[in-house]
Amino acid sequence: MKKKNKVLAIILARSGSTRLKNKVFLKIGKKTILEIFINRLKKSKLIDDFIIATSKKRQDNKITKLASKLNIKLFRGSENNVLKRFYQAMKLSKINPELIVRANADNFLVMPNILDYEIKLMLKNLDYDLSTPFDKNFCPFGYSLVIFRNKTVKKIYSKAKNKKYLEHIENFCFDNENQFKILRPIHKKSLKMPNLKLSLDTLSDFKLMKKIFLKISKSKLEKQPKLIIDIIKKNVK
């Protein structure tokens, strides 16, 4: 029997955001943003392993403690060279993953069912190098995450030298699309709202996303993607 292709999620998190300091440790109720994100990500039925990748800076020691509390493997590397940190964390995994999810904690309203659908698409179509919900996105920005082939991460790491690719890894693929086959998933029409941004960068983002989270948190996960769109259409007050 052919061995199942494995999926690794690398959770990118650090405290040193310039626009919204310590944003991953902002709280909704008793949980930090990082805990909420990880708990939602763990609802995925297709992710086999998790690694938190943070920086070596003292301010990120809190992330080390959280990784221990949640029993998740941790890698500490470069603060600003995200590509290198991502690549080195990937090499730590013992499962030899075919797919790597770039799990950016800014997207703490990630939808596990949508992410799983896109992982399935990639597993069925391994001629693609990556799947992105962010470039020409269909659903609200933040519902899902970038999914790379293992070999794609290695290729980017060996070729991407420009500073702009060290933080936003997949941009190297967008700028060199002749070298990569990119999947941009389409979902049912009721989930189409590409102009809605649900990524935590500013205090206003936090206020909106907190309000949404509190409205949807008691609903079933599979209903949450459509529920958010309905809430936004009715105007979140």
Side-chain angles (χ1 to χ4, degrees), residues 46-59:
L46 297 176
I47 297 175
D48 301 290
D49 194 19
F50 301 84
I51 295 176
I52 296 177
T54 192
S55 84
K56 295 178 181 178
K57 289 205 164 186
R58 181 183 296 177
Q59 63 193 11

Side-chain angles (χ1 to χ4, degrees), residues 1-234:
M1 181 182 293
K2 186 177 179 180
K3 187 177 180 181
K4 174 181 176 284
N5 288 315
K6 300 291 185 179
V7 181
L8 167 70
I10 298 178
I11 299 161
L12 295 171
R14 63 185 182 90
S15 304
S17 172
T18 53
R19 284 186 286 178
L20 186 59
K21 291 185 178 180
N22 292 309
K23 62 184 177 181
V24 295
F25 287 103
L26 292 172
K27 285 191 172 183
I28 301 178
K30 295 182 179 180
K31 298 288 186 182
T32 65
I33 292 301
L34 184 54
E35 288 176 286
I36 291 170
F37 176 69
I38 292 172
N39 287 339
R40 290 180 70 83
L41 199 61
K42 282 186 169 182
K43 301 291 185 182
S44 165
K45 296 176 182 178
L46 297 176
I47 297 175
D48 301 290
D49 194 19
F50 301 84
I51 295 176
I52 296 177
T54 192
S55 84
K56 295 178 181 178
K57 289 205 164 186
R58 181 183 296 177
Q59 63 193 11
D60 286 328
N61 288 347
K62 289 190 295 183
I63 293 176
T64 300
K65 291 178 183 177
L66 181 62
S68 178
K69 173 186 171 182
L70 298 177
N71 195 28
I72 296 178
K73 291 189 287 292
L74 179 82
F75 173 78
R76 302 189 74 167
S78 170
E79 179 184 27
N80 297 316
N81 191 337
V82 179
L83 172 57
K84 185 175 183 180
R85 183 168 16 124
F86 191 83
Y87 174 76
Q88 290 176 328
M90 181 184 82
K91 289 172 63 180
L92 279 181
S93 178
K94 306 296 184 184
I95 65 170
N96 189 27
E98 177 61 50
L99 299 182
I100 322 294
V101 178
R102 193 203 70 172
N104 192 320
D106 293 352
N107 303 312
F108 75 89
L109 290 180
V110 63
M111 297 294 165
N113 51 328
I114 288 182
L115 178 59
D116 278 351
Y117 171 76
E118 294 179 2
I119 290 172
K120 282 181 184 177
L121 285 181
M122 280 292 286
L123 289 172
K124 290 178 180 178
N125 299 279
L126 287 174
D127 53 328
Y128 281 97
D129 293 291
L130 71 153
S131 169
T132 175
F134 299 125
D135 184 55
K136 302 172 185 175
N137 55 302
F138 184 93
C139 293
F141 190 103
Y143 269 23
S144 191
L145 302 163
V146 177
I147 306 161
F148 295 97
R149 295 280 308 280
N150 187 312
K151 69 174 188 178
T152 306
V153 177
K154 292 176 181 175
K155 182 175 179 179
I156 297 168
Y157 185 73
S158 68
K159 290 193 169 191
K161 306 303 178 186
N162 192 304
K163 186 178 179 180
K164 71 175 182 177
Y165 302 129
L166 302 186
E167 181 177 2
H168 302 289
I169 305 168
E170 66 274 16
N171 284 3
F172 181 77
C173 303
F174 304 153
D175 290 348
N176 298 276
E177 194 157 350
N178 60 321
Q179 299 180 39
F180 299 92
K181 189 173 181 183
I182 301 172
L183 176 63
R184 295 176 175 89
I186 301 296
H187 295 267
K188 54 188 177 183
K189 289 183 180 179
S190 61
L191 296 180
K192 188 172 184 180
M193 188 177 270
N195 294 327
L196 175 58
K197 175 182 172 289
L198 295 174
S199 183
L200 183 59
D201 296 311
T202 66
L203 184 58
S204 60
D205 292 335
F206 176 66
K207 289 177 179 178
L208 173 64
M209 294 173 75
K210 177 181 178 180
K211 194 173 289 187
I212 288 172
F213 178 77
L214 291 173
K215 285 178 177 287
I216 69 168
S217 58
K218 293 182 180 179
S219 299
K220 292 182 179 180
L221 280 170
E222 60 269 20
K223 293 184 177 180
Q224 290 182 12
K226 179 64 166 56
L227 181 57
I228 289 179
I229 289 173
D230 291 341
I231 290 169
I232 294 298
K233 286 180 177 178
K234 291 176 183 177

